[in-house]
Amino acid sequence: MAEQKRMKVVLLRHTLSPEEAIALGAKLCYSKSSISDLQEKISAKDQTGFIEKLMDMGHESVLEHASFTFGVEGVSRVLLAQLTRHRIASFSVQSQRYVSYEKGYGYIIPKSIEALGEDAVRRYSEQMDTIESWYKEWQAELGCQGEKSNEDARFVLPNACETRIMVTMNVRELRHFFSLRMCSRAQWEIREMANEMFRLCFETAPALFKNAGPACLRGKCPEGEKSCGQAVKIRQEREEMIRAHEKE
């Protein structure tokens, strides 16, 4: 039977000492010192102030020296279509060709439908079960030949169908991703994922992500008449988050 799924985001890997790696790349550009000497000096000193200066200068190319890899599950194919528009990233996605759903598939229920109440959720879930029966019918019609049958039976599956993803982005692209997808105008599901990815990044390398997020954190909202009008609140929440982190 089809089953509702919830989003889960895990930070799988990241560049060792990402802040130091980025500081090393930046200082190498302007120093006569050897790499080993620079590395020793950088590791012996907190690089937070230097990284903040880099951000203010707009020296972003060095941010590409550090990357973060996430495992994501309990998300829809709708989210996948949006995520893969971010081209400076690497993706691995669970295949609907090699993975069969003859025992049921996971699906995502939009929050707007959940907000309508139990009857709406039940009707939606019944529709997911109906689609699952169509999928199984086509598997059988196509001879239940594994991937050969799955690759065409999957055409009836909905955008709500759960997928699992591994995604890697460098820090520069992550900051760009957060500026777009943490904005209140972003679609709710990818915004939820971006917020969780940001949280994990900030906990790991706060100097690199202190001001990462929607563009209104760093200046005027670029949405013009479509702005949510919540820039002041968003900035206050970020300041509170930073203060709480610094107290830990």
Side-chain angles (χ1 to χ4, degrees), residues 79-95:
L79 182 144
L80 176 63
Q82 297 176 83
L83 179 62
T84 51
R85 293 186 184 123
H86 295 270
R87 294 174 178 83
I88 307 175
S90 299
F91 306 101
S92 296
V93 182
Q94 185 182 61
S95 171

Side-chain angles (χ1 to χ4, degrees), residues 39-224:
Q39 193 171 15
E40 185 176 340
K41 291 176 183 177
I42 286 170
S43 62
K45 184 180 178 181
D46 180 20
Q47 297 302 313
T48 299
F50 178 64
I51 288 174
E52 289 178 353
K53 184 178 179 181
L54 285 177
M55 301 293 188
D56 292 339
M57 293 169 58
H59 189 174
E60 296 186 344
S61 62
V62 293
L63 300 180
E64 297 172 17
H65 289 301
S67 63
F68 289 68
T69 298
F70 303 88
V72 184
E73 59 186 14
V75 294
S76 71
R77 307 291 288 197
V78 170
L79 182 144
L80 176 63
Q82 297 176 83
L83 179 62
T84 51
R85 293 186 184 123
H86 295 270
R87 294 174 178 83
I88 307 175
S90 299
F91 306 101
S92 296
V93 182
Q94 185 182 61
S95 171
Q96 289 184 330
R97 181 184 183 191
Y98 292 99
V99 176
S100 176
Y101 299 129
E102 77 273 6
K103 294 183 179 180
Y105 67 91
Y107 60 86
I108 312 305
I109 301 181
K111 295 181 183 298
S112 59
I113 292 178
E114 288 186 328
L116 295 175
E118 293 181 3
D119 288 343
V121 169
R122 182 170 57 254
R123 183 154 49 94
Y124 183 93
S125 297
E126 288 171 353
Q127 290 170 348
M128 294 298 106
D129 289 339
T130 297
I131 292 173
E132 180 189 337
S133 71
W134 295 343
Y135 172 79
K136 292 177 180 178
E137 285 176 15
W138 283 115
Q139 280 187 313
E141 188 78 14
L142 295 168
C144 291
Q145 300 181 68
E147 66 186 76
K148 190 174 180 181
S149 301
N150 297 342
E151 67 180 3
D152 288 342
R154 63 182 167 172
F155 274 67
V156 300
L157 291 172
N159 272 334
C161 187
E162 181 208 14
T163 191
R164 297 169 187 172
I165 310 164
M166 188 165 83
V167 55
T168 300
M169 297 185 190
N170 64 49
V171 172
R172 188 180 193 179
E173 177 61 13
L174 274 168
R175 288 175 59 87
H176 173 67
F177 175 75
F178 294 150
S179 72
L180 298 177
R181 301 303 185 173
M182 289 177 69
C183 174
S184 62
R185 281 182 44 76
Q187 186 259 353
W188 68 268
E189 188 181 18
I190 199 167
R191 185 172 68 246
E192 182 178 319
M193 185 186 75
N195 285 334
E196 184 61 11
M197 288 169 64
F198 165 78
R199 184 186 68 79
L200 294 168
C201 287
F202 180 77
E203 289 178 355
T204 303
L208 297 176
F209 297 98
K210 185 176 181 180
N211 70 344
C216 62
L217 282 172
R218 299 173 297 281
K220 185 179 179 181
C221 173
E223 296 293 328

